[in-house]
Amino acid sequence: MFQGNQAINMDAKGRMAIPAMHRDALASACGGRIVMTAHTEDRCILIYPEPEWQDILPKIEALPTFNKAALRAQRLLLGYACAMELDSNGRVLVPPTLRNYANLDKKLMLVGMGKKFELWSEESWWASVADLDVDEELPAEMLSLSL
């Protein structure tokens, strides 16, 4: 389970290093093989351990293509999906198309989201968490949650 957030840097070649605490978990979960793709709602990147991606891939492929919202989600999730492998130093190259999609520059924020990560530009991350004006109602599952 991935949780917490870490400020990390991307080098001039577009490589980022996965922090050691997550690198070990990724190594045991998937041998360092990951899939990066576009988030459908936010300008960030989703990073899945390969086995997790393989579990949700059939669900994405099964979405109805005559529904415009579902087709858009397929185009983003499948169209941007890139299988990658961490190198021996725990680094991975973020593909240029995904860097452009998420407006990534040198300063990044890696956020653990349970079974996956989100990768944000640091600026976009702080803007997102500062945005307290949420237009949507909380789902019923949240209303019954005690923290």
Side-chain angles (χ1 to χ4, degrees):
M1 171 132 161
F2 307 113
Q3 58 188 19
N5 63 60
Q6 288 90 24
I8 59 176
N9 291 316
M10 184 169 53
D11 69 16
K13 294 180 181 179
R15 295 176 301 190
M16 63 166 217
I18 300 291
M21 65 183 273
H22 294 308
R23 192 178 318 145
D24 295 340
L26 280 173
S28 65
C30 61
R33 292 182 312 278
I34 60 173
V35 175
M36 292 185 176
T37 192
H39 193 291
T40 60
E41 302 298 317
D42 293 307
R43 288 295 179 147
C44 69
I45 296 171
L46 298 173
I47 303 174
Y48 289 92
E50 190 178 58
E52 277 301 317
W53 177 255
Q54 293 303 323
D55 286 346
I56 66 167
L57 185 57
K59 297 171 188 170
I60 298 167
E61 292 172 331
L63 292 172
T65 58
F66 285 109
N67 177 294
K68 285 190 178 201
L71 182 58
R72 179 184 181 277
Q74 278 183 320
R75 286 177 176 157
L76 290 172
L77 292 167
L78 299 175
Y80 278 97
C82 296
M84 313 292 289
E85 191 165 348
L86 302 182
D87 69 12
S88 59
N89 295 318
R91 295 177 305 183
V92 64
L93 177 68
V94 181
T97 53
L98 284 170
R99 290 195 307 254
N100 289 336
Y101 177 82
N103 301 313
L104 300 183
D105 201 2
K106 181 180 171 82
K107 292 181 178 262
L108 307 176
M109 189 66 75
L110 184 68
V111 183
M113 297 292 291
K115 295 181 179 183
K116 65 181 181 288
F117 293 99
E118 291 180 347
L119 182 65
W120 292 77
S121 76
E122 189 177 63
E123 182 180 338
S124 295
W125 168 254
W126 291 120
S128 174
V129 296
D131 184 12
L132 299 177
D133 185 26
V134 179
D135 294 334
E136 296 180 31
E137 289 186 33
L138 288 175
E141 297 84 2
M142 289 286 294
L143 297 175
S144 65
L145 181 65
S146 286
L147 299 176

